[in-house]
């Protein structure tokens, strides 16, 4: 007997044998990332989630699954994809930034939002537009570290400010990755808690995972 989303019993049995999680269907069904296979993985995931839910309505939902390149999503910007939702795209009035006018594309389903943004652009342009100044270019993380007492926290803050502290933190921070660079640290103490702000450079990467790993490595050492 054929299974609806899988179309064949063989596919269902394969998934059971491999005990695939919902989020790993693409790797099992289409390791080469073929468009048809990616869409099939989305269809199967939608069915699995729908049949395990209370309402069981997702599988028959009218939200579209067709005419979309799921290869652009896989491993990039969304996980556990079940379909996609088109959102209206509007253009807010040009905003003059550093003497150059930029159109502002905005995706929204909120009425009057684009019109409100356009009025804001008009108000700014009336005053000459916006002028930008770059004061710092860094990605930051700010862990809060609890110590047994305020005295120990103060000692840690003094160590971070000492000549040896930044070098030790930099070596630990940069050890897991080639691209992350620790460019500065700041501290603030509240009671026995020390707030430590890491400022980093991550080259062309956004670097969220990079600096999180580096921060954790520095904190643990």
């Amino acid at each position: 007997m054929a299974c609806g989303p899988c179309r064949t019993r063989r596919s269902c049995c394969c998934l059971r044998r491999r005990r695939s999680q919902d989020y790993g269907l693409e790797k099992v069904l289409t390791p080469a990332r073929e468009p048809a296979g990616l869409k099939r993985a989305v269809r199967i995931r939608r069915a699995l989630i729908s049949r395990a839910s209370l309402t069981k309505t997702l599988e028959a939902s009218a939200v579209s699954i067709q005419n979309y390149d799921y290869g652009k999503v896989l491993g990039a910007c969304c996980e556990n994809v079940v379909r996609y939702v088109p959102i209206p795209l509007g253009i807010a009035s040009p905003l003059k930034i550093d003497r150059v006018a930029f159109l502002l594309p905005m995706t929204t389903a909120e009425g009057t939002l684009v019109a409100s943004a356009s009025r804001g652009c008009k108000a700014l342009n009336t005053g000459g537009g916006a002028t930008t100044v770059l004061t710092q270019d860094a990605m930051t993380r700010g862990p809060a570290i609890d110590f047994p007492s305020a005295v120990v926290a103060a000692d840690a803050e003094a160590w971070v400010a000492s000549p040896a502290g930044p070098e030790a933190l930099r070596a630990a921070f940069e050890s897991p990755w080639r691209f992350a660079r620790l460019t500065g640290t700041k501290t603030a103490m509240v009671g026995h808690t020390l707030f430590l702000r890491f400022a980093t450079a991550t080259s062309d990467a956004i670097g969220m995972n990079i600096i999180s790993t580096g921060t954790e490595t520095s904190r643990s050492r």
Side-chain angles (χ1 to χ4, degrees), residues 77-92:
C77 59
C78 189
E79 299 76 36
N80 262 12
V81 178
V82 293
R83 288 189 176 186
Y84 75 96
V85 179
I87 303 176
L89 174 64
I91 299 292

Side-chain angles (χ1 to χ4, degrees), residues 8 16 42 55 74 89 96 102 114 128-129 138-139 151 162 184 191 196 207 216:
T8 65
R16 291 194 192 99
V42 171
T55 60
L74 181 61
L89 174 64
K96 188 179 294 184
F102 293 92
V114 176
M139 185 70 72
V151 174
S162 70
L196 181 58
E216 183 61 26

Side-chain angles (χ1 to χ4, degrees), residues 1-44:
M1 180 177 178
C3 172
C6 300
R7 299 186 184 278
T8 65
R9 175 184 292 180
R10 182 178 179 182
S11 296
C12 291
C13 293
C14 176
L15 290 174
R16 291 194 192 99
R17 284 199 304 271
R18 299 191 186 192
R19 297 182 179 179
S20 300
Q21 298 291 335
D22 292 346
Y23 58 79
L25 287 174
E26 285 84 357
K27 293 182 180 179
V28 173
L29 296 175
T30 175
R33 302 169 70 104
E34 303 92 344
L38 293 176
K39 184 186 296 183
R40 181 162 166 255
V42 171
R43 185 181 295 110
I44 293 173

Side-chain angles (χ1 to χ4, degrees), residues 87-88 90 106-119:
I87 303 176
M106 302 178 66
T107 57
T108 179
E110 178 183 345
T112 74
L113 180 62
V114 176
S116 297
S118 294
R119 288 193 292 271

Side-chain angles (χ1 to χ4, degrees), residues 5-6 8 21 32 39 48-49 58 99 102 119 136 140 146 157 159 178 201-202 210 212:
C6 300
T8 65
Q21 298 291 335
K39 184 186 296 183
L48 292 173
I49 294 176
L58 178 61
R99 300 181 180 180
F102 293 92
R119 288 193 292 271
Q136 184 182 16
T140 63
D146 286 331
E157 184 177 37
W159 177 80
R178 292 183 300 159
T202 56
I210 293 175
S212 293

